Amino acid sequence: MRARTAFSSAAGAVRAAFAASAPVRTLNAPIARLTGTTRVRGAHAFAALERTVMTRAFVSARGFASDTGKGGRTLSEALLEERAHESAAYEPSATASGGPPEPFALCETEGDAEVTLTRSFDENEEITVTFIAQEEPYDDMLDEDEFDEEPLDDELDLDEDEEGIAINFNVVVSKKDGLSHLDFDCVTDGEIIEIRHVGYEAFDEDNPIIGTAYSGPNFEDLEETVQDKFHDYLEERGINADLASYIVEAHVDKEQREYTNWLEKVSRFVS
C-alpha cells in the first residue's frame, strides 16, 4: 500500500464523517482575532481535519514498503528501499513549495530541524519566527492534551473526536540596537494563532540581572482587551493566518525531508 492510496482513503473517510457530523459551531471571538470576526467551523474545520488525517495517513504509511520480501535483505538495503518508497510517495504541498509569505525569508539547514523565518519591520525592528520540524517521540504515551487539563473557552481546541494539528512556534520582535526584545510563545493549527506567553527581555550592562528575570504573566490572565491588542500587534507584523498555514505545511515538508535523509545516512552507516 502506498502513501497516496492512504491519502485518498483517508480523505474519503473524512468527507463521509464530516458530512454526517453535527451542525457547525462557532469559535469564540478572541481566538479568531486574525480575521477580525468570529470564525465559523465548517469548511475551515473540514479542511484542517482532512489535512490532519491525510498527514497522519502519510506518516502511518511509513514502513509499508519494507513489510514484504524481507528475506535476504540487509538492514542497509531495507532502509534504502524505504527511502525510495518515501521519495516516490511524497509530494510537498503548493504552500510549502511556494515559500513563506513575503517579505519573510526562509533559513534552514539540512540535518537541523530548526526552521527560521525573518523579516524587517519599519526601520527599527527585526522579526524572527522559529519552529522545530521534529516529531515528538512517545507522543502517544503522553496525555492527549498537552495544554491545560480544562482549556479555557477561548483557547484553541478541536472536538475530542478530531485529531488536531498543534504546531508550536516562537516569535521574537527585537529592536535593531539589540538591547531589548519581546518573545512570544505561540501555537497554531494552520488557521488560528494562539498566543501562550509574552516575555520581555532587555540588556543593560550597567545593571545586569543577577537572579532570575521576571518572565511575564500568564497570557490568559491579562485583560481581554490587552490580549486582543497583542494579537493585533503580531498581525501588523505579518504573523497572520497566511503565515500560520505556511508554518504547518513547512513543518510537514521539512520533517519529511529530514526523515528521508535520515534513512539514507543510517543506511550508509550500517552498510
Side-chain angles (χ1 to χ4, degrees):
M1 176 179 179
R2 295 297 182 180
R4 283 175 178 155
T5 303
F7 278 2
S8 178
S9 299
V14 173
R15 290 188 175 92
F18 196 86
S21 64
V24 297
R25 297 184 293 114
T26 303
L27 290 178
N28 294 323
I31 303 181
R33 284 295 305 162
L34 294 180
T35 65
T37 60
T38 302
R39 188 184 292 273
V40 178
R41 300 185 76 174
H44 291 302
F46 166 70
L49 176 58
E50 183 180 33
R51 181 176 63 245
T52 302
V53 175
M54 290 174 71
T55 299
R56 290 182 179 275
F58 178 78
V59 173
S60 66
R62 287 178 175 173
F64 287 359
S66 55
D67 287 343
T68 58
K70 294 180 180 179
R73 289 187 305 165
T74 65
L75 173 58
S76 177
E77 291 170 339
L79 288 166
L80 286 176
E81 182 176 338
E82 186 64 16
R83 183 187 185 282
H85 162 66
E86 291 293 324
S87 297
Y90 176 70
E91 182 177 346
S93 69
T95 300
S97 299
E102 294 182 351
F104 282 98
L106 172 66
C107 180
E108 63 165 321
T109 303
E110 182 179 324
D112 186 346
E114 183 173 286
V115 178
T116 302
L117 309 173
T118 60
R119 64 162 294 182
S120 296
F121 181 77
D122 287 342
E123 297 181 355
N124 193 38
E125 289 183 1
E126 293 290 343
I127 315 296
T128 303
V129 178
T130 306
F131 62 90
I132 307 297
Q134 174 71 59
E135 288 186 357
E136 292 297 329
Y138 314 119
D139 266 352
D140 293 339
M141 299 175 63
L142 302 176
D143 292 337
E144 287 185 13
D145 190 357
E146 295 180 358
F147 312 128
D148 295 336
E149 293 182 2
E150 297 182 358
L152 299 177
D153 288 342
D154 61 348
E155 285 186 341
L156 178 63
D157 69 316
L158 298 174
D159 291 341
E160 291 182 359
D161 59 347
E162 296 178 5
E163 295 188 52
I165 294 174
I167 304 298
N168 296 301
F169 66 99
N170 175 262
V171 180
V172 174
V173 181
S174 59
K175 298 299 183 181
K176 289 189 176 180
D177 60 15
L179 298 180
S180 58
H181 68 262
L182 287 177
D183 193 316
F184 295 82
D185 291 327
C186 305
V187 63
T188 183
D189 65 349
E191 293 183 20
I192 299 166
I193 291 176
E194 179 183 317
I195 300 173
R196 292 297 174 84
H197 182 264
V198 182
Y200 170 76
E201 295 183 22
F203 176 73
D204 185 351
E205 60 181 7
D206 295 327
N207 298 286
I209 297 175
I210 304 301
T212 301
Y214 176 66
S215 63
N218 292 325
F219 189 77
E220 63 267 21
D221 292 339
L222 294 172
E223 291 294 330
E224 185 175 309
T225 300
V226 176
Q227 294 184 38
D228 289 346
K229 293 302 181 183
F230 269 122
H231 279 284
D232 291 342
Y233 177 87
L234 286 185
E235 185 171 12
E236 184 181 4
R237 287 155 177 79
I239 315 302
N240 54 28
D242 288 340
L243 186 69
S245 176
Y246 176 76
I247 287 174
V248 168
E249 300 295 340
H251 185 284
V252 171
D253 179 61
K254 174 67 171 175
E255 196 280 331
Q256 178 63 20
R257 286 186 285 116
E258 291 302 332
Y259 172 62
T260 54
N261 288 338
W262 177 87
L263 288 170
E264 182 176 4
K265 291 173 182 177
V266 176
S267 71
R268 289 202 304 264
F269 180 85
V270 300
S271 62

